[in-house]
Amino acid sequence: MLAAGVLLIFLSVLTVHGTDTVLDVDYYIEYDYDYTTEAPLDIEYDNWLIDLLEESSACDPYPCLNGGSCQSKSATEFTCSCPEPYRGTRCEQVRNICKDVKCGFGDCIINLNKQPFYECKCKPPYQGSDCRTLPASPCEPNPCKNGGTCIKTKRRFRCACPDGYSGKFCGTDPNDCYEGNGESYRGAVSMTEDGQECLDWKSNFILLNGQNPFTAYSNFSGLDSNTQNHCRNPDGDDKPWCFIKKRGKLDWNFCKVKECSKAPAAPPQPVVPVVPVAPNPPQFSECGKPQPTRIVRIFGGKKSFPGAHPWQVSVQTRTKGSSTTFFHMCGGILLKSCWVLTAAHCINPNEELQVVLGGVNIDKHEEIDQTIPVIETIVHENYKEKTEALYNDIALLKLQVTDSPYCAKETRFVRAACLLSQPFPPGKECVVSGWGKTENRTYSSHLLNTRVLLISQERCSIPQIYGNVLDNSMLCAGILQGGVDSCEGDSGGPLVCEEDGTYYVTGVVSWGIGCGLRNKPGVYANVHTFLNWIESKIN
C-alpha cells in the first residue's frame, strides 16, 4: 500500500548555509496570462438528513441553527426563517456565496461575519474588488515584505529578499520554524515543499470540495481570521501542512518550513538514584481512538488517510494449499490484537485467509502494513443465507501470534475498535468504510469512507423498503434518497458510531439491494445483538 506520491518542483538555485540545507529560490511571479479562477460549482442542497430525523418537536427544543427564527406551524411542524447567508430546514447550510462571484486573478474567500460574506483575495500584482486591475508597474505598490526589493522584468516580477528572509514575497523570517510536530506553529510560511502556494483556509474552493476547516478543526486554536494561507497542523500530522489546488482538484501537502534547532546539550548532572518508571500500558489497552486526519473529498464517499480508520482490515483469500497471490475479498474490524470481526458470508472453508492492517491502498505494499495469517475462522452457528436476506451474518477470525502475546501490533495506524454496551438511537450519524464497489469501478484500491444514518427497524421494515425480511440480527443504515451506500466489496467491513471521541462497532456490512438506490439502504449485522456471542469466543 503506497501512501505517498511523487511531487515535481522547479528550483533555480540551491545554496547551503552552515550545516542546514536551505533552498533559496528566485520566484518569478508571472502575470498577464489567463489563469483566472474557475466559475464556482453550482451546488444543489437537499435536506435528507433533516427529513430522515423527522424533527417533530416544533420549536421546543429550539430547532433553528445559526440565529434562525422558529415559527410553529402546528404542534409538530415548524419553519425556520434563516438569516443570510444560511439556508436549509434548520438553517444548517451556507448558500454557495461565491456562485456568481468572479474574482478574476484571485480567489473567493468566505467571511461569514461581514456582508457580502466574501471578498476577492488578489494574486499580486492584480488589484481591485474583482482582481482584474493591473497597476502601472507590478512593483507599485511594492508586494515584497520585510524590506524585500521588487524586480520587474517582462510580464513578471520577483522579490529579492534581505538576508535571512525567504518566500515568494519575503514573508518568512529567519526564525520561522516549528517545534515537535508543528501543532504549535503560528508562523507565516505559505508554501508547500514542492513550491506551490497554499490556499487560504477560508477559500471557497475548500468549502466546495471538502469541509469548512474552521468547523472540522474547531478545537484547534491556530485557525483564526488572521491565519490567511499560512501553514498549520490542526490534525496532529507529522509537520505543518496546507491545502492546495492541484490540477483543478483539492489536495494538500506538507509545507516548506524548517524544524527549529535542537536545544543545546545540557551540562552534566550529578548522579542521582534511579527511580523505577511505571511501565507503558499494554498494547490495545484503549479502543476506538483514530488518528486525527485532514479533510478531503465507498459510493458517494471520500478517500481515507492512514490512521483515520485504524480498525479497518482487508480480509484476503486464496485457494487452500496454493501458492497464488492473496487478493482482497472482504473487509473486517480489529477488535483485539488477535481477533477480527467480519461477515459470515465472507468465509469459504476451501480457502485460506490472511489480513492486512494499517495501510489504505490494497494494490500496493505500504511500510505501515501488517500482514498476518488467519489460523481459525468461527462462523455464527445460526448463520443462514436465503434468497431474500442473510441472517446472523457474522464471523470471527483468529490471527497468528507474531510477537508473543501479540498478533497485530498497535501503531498510529492499527488500533482496535470498541464494542458498544448500548445501541445508538435511530438518526445517529455513523461512518462506513471499505474498498467496495464505487460508481466507476468494481472496487477502489484506496480505502474510502462515507457517513450514513442509522434507520429504525420499524421504518426499514415498511413495504417500500425491505418489508418483513428483517430480524433483530440486522440493522439498516444509509440515506433513503440514495447515492451513498456500502457495496458488496465492503462485506464484513465496519459501521462505527462515535460518542465523546470514541468509535464503537455498531454494524458489520452484510447485504442490500443494489448500491446507493433510493429506499434501499445498506443492511448490517447488528453487533449489539451478538455481544455475548463475540465475548464468549474472544475471551
Side-chain angles (χ1 to χ4, degrees):
M1 299 184 187
L2 185 61
V6 179
L7 300 172
L8 184 63
I9 62 176
F10 294 92
L11 304 174
S12 59
V13 181
L14 175 65
T15 60
V16 177
H17 300 280
T19 58
D20 293 329
T21 301
V22 180
L23 296 178
D24 289 339
V25 182
D26 286 342
Y27 295 106
Y28 281 95
I29 295 89
E30 297 185 355
Y31 61 98
D32 199 25
Y33 287 102
D34 185 16
Y35 58 96
T36 57
T37 53
E38 292 94 341
L41 301 175
D42 187 4
I43 296 179
E44 290 295 330
Y45 294 97
D46 50 61
N47 295 313
W48 59 263
L49 175 61
I50 306 305
D51 291 343
L52 186 58
L53 294 178
E54 294 185 322
E55 176 69 63
S56 59
S57 54
C59 292
D60 185 21
Y62 204 76
C64 305
L65 307 174
N66 296 308
S69 174
C70 181
Q71 291 86 42
S72 179
K73 297 172 65 177
S74 70
T76 59
E77 296 180 326
F78 66 89
T79 300
C80 290
S81 297
C82 305
E84 277 291 313
Y86 298 98
R87 59 181 290 179
T89 305
R90 297 176 60 196
C91 309
E92 73 281 1
Q93 304 162 347
V94 177
R95 66 174 172 84
N96 190 356
I97 296 169
C98 293
K99 177 180 178 181
D100 298 316
V101 175
K102 305 296 183 183
C103 282
F105 300 89
D107 191 14
C108 185
I109 303 300
I110 303 299
N111 181 0
L112 296 178
N113 299 318
K114 182 181 178 181
Q115 289 187 343
F117 308 115
Y118 75 90
E119 59 182 334
C120 289
K121 182 180 180 181
C122 304
K123 298 175 182 178
Y126 289 91
Q127 302 173 355
S129 59
D130 60 357
C131 299
R132 292 184 177 275
T133 302
L134 270 176
S137 168
C139 293
E140 295 177 9
N142 185 3
C144 308
K145 302 175 182 177
N146 298 309
T149 302
C150 181
I151 301 173
K152 178 183 180 298
T153 61
K154 186 178 180 180
R155 293 196 301 187
R156 63 180 187 171
F157 71 93
R158 71 178 182 91
C159 291
C161 303
D163 191 34
Y165 288 87
S166 60
K168 280 188 178 181
F169 302 102
C170 309
T172 305
D173 69 55
N175 298 317
D176 197 315
C177 61
Y178 70 92
E179 299 275 3
N181 68 351
E183 285 191 60
S184 61
Y185 176 72
R186 300 296 183 268
V189 172
S190 57
M191 183 175 295
T192 64
E193 291 176 333
D194 65 335
Q196 288 188 273
E197 189 76 10
C198 296
L199 288 173
D200 194 294
W201 292 92
K202 293 186 290 184
S203 169
N204 189 58
F205 190 75
I206 298 176
L207 292 179
L208 293 181
N209 294 280
Q211 289 177 261
N212 185 346
F214 291 84
T215 301
Y217 305 127
S218 58
N219 294 326
F220 179 67
S221 62
L223 292 180
D224 56 37
S225 59
N226 298 316
T227 303
Q228 301 180 39
N229 65 337
H230 300 154
C231 301
R232 294 292 183 262
N233 187 8
D235 60 357
D237 210 323
D238 294 335
K239 59 186 291 188
W241 58 275
C242 69
F243 287 110
I244 56 175
K245 189 176 183 179
K246 186 175 181 181
R247 292 192 287 271
K249 295 183 178 181
L250 182 66
D251 205 342
W252 69 275
N253 199 2
F254 290 121
C255 289
K256 187 189 162 189
V257 53
K258 63 184 179 181
E259 187 174 4
C260 298
S261 302
K262 304 296 182 183
Q269 298 293 320
V271 178
V272 295
V274 176
V275 178
V277 179
N280 291 328
Q283 290 202 8
F284 298 102
S285 58
E286 185 180 51
C287 63
K289 300 291 185 181
Q291 176 74 10
T293 54
R294 68 193 55 73
I295 23 182
V296 262
R297 286 255 13 162
I298 265 172
F299 193 88
K302 306 176 183 180
K303 287 186 177 180
S304 303
F305 283 89
H309 311 282
W311 38 80
Q312 177 76 50
V313 173
S314 168
V315 179
Q316 304 187 353
T317 183
R318 70 180 180 188
T319 303
K320 270 187 180 178
S322 74
S323 58
T324 56
T325 303
F326 281 94
F327 63 90
H328 172 75
M329 176 186 62
C330 282
I333 310 117
L334 187 67
L335 297 182
K336 286 190 173 184
S337 175
C338 294
W339 289 98
V340 167
L341 186 66
T342 189
H345 76 263
C346 292
I347 308 301
N348 183 334
N350 297 318
E351 295 176 342
E352 60 179 304
L353 304 176
Q354 69 175 19
V355 299
V356 179
L357 310 96
V360 294
N361 191 322
I362 54 173
D363 284 349
K364 304 290 183 182
H365 175 73
E366 297 177 90
E367 290 185 4
I368 57 179
D369 283 353
Q370 295 182 38
T371 303
I372 307 171
V374 173
I375 61 173
E376 184 182 359
T377 59
I378 305 174
V379 175
H380 195 278
E381 300 81 7
N382 296 323
Y383 167 63
K384 292 180 182 178
E385 183 174 344
K386 296 188 176 182
T387 304
E388 68 276 9
L390 301 175
Y391 294 88
N392 303 298
D393 187 17
I394 202 161
L396 286 164
L397 309 178
K398 187 175 183 180
L399 308 184
Q400 180 176 293
V401 173
T402 58
D403 185 9
S404 184
Y406 300 110
C407 301
K409 296 177 183 177
E410 187 173 42
T411 67
R412 288 173 55 195
F413 313 104
V414 176
R415 294 179 181 173
C418 297
L419 290 170
L420 72 167
S421 57
Q422 296 292 330
F424 287 100
K428 174 73 174 178
E429 189 180 53
C430 302
V431 179
V432 59
S433 56
W435 291 274
K437 184 176 180 180
T438 67
E439 296 97 325
N440 302 317
R441 60 181 298 180
T442 306
Y443 72 96
S444 166
S445 61
H446 196 108
L447 181 64
L448 303 171
N449 73 88
T450 193
R451 294 185 174 273
V452 295
L453 297 176
L454 300 185
I455 304 171
S456 71
Q457 197 81 342
E458 291 75 21
R459 186 165 192 187
C460 211
S461 296
I462 64 174
Q464 298 92 324
I465 302 181
Y466 286 122
N468 60 3
V469 303
L470 305 183
D471 67 6
N472 67 353
S473 74
M474 311 171 199
L475 64 83
C476 289
I479 298 170
L480 292 181
Q481 71 164 14
V484 175
D485 197 1
S486 55
C487 292
E488 56 262 32
D490 295 307
S491 291
L495 172 70
V496 295
C497 304
E498 180 267 338
E499 186 165 318
D500 298 328
T502 299
Y503 285 80
Y504 298 87
V505 186
T506 302
V508 177
V509 178
S510 181
W511 63 277
I513 296 179
C515 275
L517 300 180
R518 184 176 181 84
N519 284 334
K520 298 301 175 187
V523 181
Y524 302 75
N526 187 346
V527 172
H528 186 261
T529 300
F530 299 102
L531 276 183
N532 291 338
W533 181 83
I534 293 171
E535 291 172 351
S536 70
K537 303 300 181 184
I538 67 177
N539 291 328

